[in-house]
Amino acid sequence: TALASPPQATTPPTASMEFGYIFERLCWLMYTSHVMWTALTNPNYFGHLTYWSLCLQSVYFTVDKGSPRAGPAICLFHGTATIGALAVMLGYTFMTVGGIYRFGSFLEWENAIGKYAGTIGADRTLPVLVAQKFYEHYWPVIVLLLDKSINRASLRSAYAGAGPLRTAALGMAGYLAVGSAWEQYSHGLGLGSALDVYQQPDEFKTERCLGRLGLSADGLPEDFVYNSFLKVFCIGGAGFLYWSLVPPLFKANGKAKAN
């Protein structure tokens, strides 16, 4: 009878890999439980791009970065999730300035958004609101920075020899696609323009903006200028921040490829 082949030697997971795996699963549980609970109890929140972005974070943390086959998934979802989290942070910060300008306070602006979208039945208090908005718009960036630190070895292995320019462009294109899908979904719900959804000042309307330049706004949506600016500001700004955070992972024999 033929002798069975001896078992192949495998590299046992290190303590850092095990901790990284646990961190991924906890993040997945955090995001998934939140978006599922929101979908069941208050689906109107998905009229906001923020909750599409939280779903994207949930998808990213399904990836086991310690797997030798995870490379393509990491390159796709890590870049898109990182660009998305950074874009949401930048966009919300800009919207906050506009909202405070219109309503005079952060609390009144956010409660106006909730009433318009039908996501709240009563005004929220400032501590509750600050905690919620920090989690939705700034916490994902912190989590990704922790992920980069905890899973650095796995990320570096997946990205080894990859081109930072191509990967950044993939992440930006991926999140732009997510944002465009949300935009069509939002319009399909009949929620109005982005200026209505996010309760922004009338000064941001297309007619006002182009009028200052002596241009006509005939035939253009009232949020055309606003949306165009946000896409450039958020995606471009996120790409710039991405470039400062991720390229150190692109190492191949001590060098990083340029594209």
Side-chain angles (χ1 to χ4, degrees):
T1 59
L3 295 176
S5 300
Q8 298 294 318
T10 58
T11 302
T14 64
S16 62
M17 291 175 62
E18 291 178 348
F19 180 69
Y21 179 82
I22 293 172
F23 177 79
E24 291 167 353
R25 302 290 74 77
L26 289 175
C27 290
W28 172 82
L29 180 63
M30 172 183 67
Y31 286 123
T32 303
S33 60
H34 176 68
V35 297
M36 289 186 67
W37 176 254
T38 301
L40 291 171
T41 61
N42 205 337
N44 288 340
Y45 270 110
F46 289 89
H48 298 284
L49 178 58
T50 298
Y51 275 78
W52 288 52
S53 300
L54 292 176
C55 290
L56 180 59
Q57 302 302 320
S58 176
V59 171
Y60 165 61
F61 280 107
T62 64
V63 178
D64 175 11
K65 289 185 283 294
S67 169
R69 299 182 180 87
I74 291 174
C75 290
L76 173 61
F77 291 116
H78 179 255
T80 305
T82 301
I83 293 289
L86 293 169
V88 166
M89 178 186 70
L90 292 172
Y92 183 74
T93 302
F94 177 81
M95 291 176 187
T96 299
V97 174
I100 293 175
Y101 170 79
R102 176 178 176 181
F103 289 91
S105 78
F106 172 74
L107 183 61
E108 289 189 25
W109 167 62
E110 267 293 353
N111 281 326
I113 290 178
K115 290 174 183 176
Y116 180 85
T119 55
I120 62 173
D123 286 351
R124 293 159 292 185
T125 62
L126 185 60
V128 169
L129 191 57
V130 169
Q132 179 187 359
K133 298 307 162 183
F134 177 81
Y135 169 80
E136 291 172 349
H137 303 97
Y138 299 98
W139 179 241
V141 175
I142 295 173
V143 171
L144 287 168
L145 290 174
L146 291 172
D147 178 60
K148 177 190 171 187
S149 176
I150 293 169
N151 288 301
R152 178 176 293 273
S154 297
L155 288 168
R156 178 163 288 178
S157 176
Y159 277 133
L165 286 176
R166 291 196 303 271
T167 309
L170 178 63
M172 294 169 71
Y175 192 69
L176 185 60
V178 172
S180 298
W182 162 80
E183 192 174 5
Q184 296 304 312
Y185 172 80
S186 177
H187 289 164
L189 292 178
L191 297 177
S193 71
L195 295 170
D196 296 323
V197 172
Y198 295 109
Q199 296 291 288
Q200 294 295 284
D202 289 341
E203 286 82 352
F204 292 166
K205 290 184 177 180
T206 300
E207 184 178 7
R208 295 275 192 96
C209 293
L210 295 184
R212 296 188 186 97
L213 302 174
L215 302 174
S216 173
D218 291 346
L220 295 175
E222 69 172 10
D223 59 353
F224 174 77
V225 171
Y226 181 76
N227 280 342
S228 299
F229 170 79
L230 273 186
K231 287 175 182 177
V232 173
F233 174 70
C234 295
I235 301 296
F240 176 79
L241 293 175
Y242 173 95
W243 195 258
S244 68
L245 296 172
V246 177
L249 300 172
F250 292 79
K251 301 292 183 180
N253 298 323
K255 296 181 179 180
K257 290 185 179 180
N259 51 41

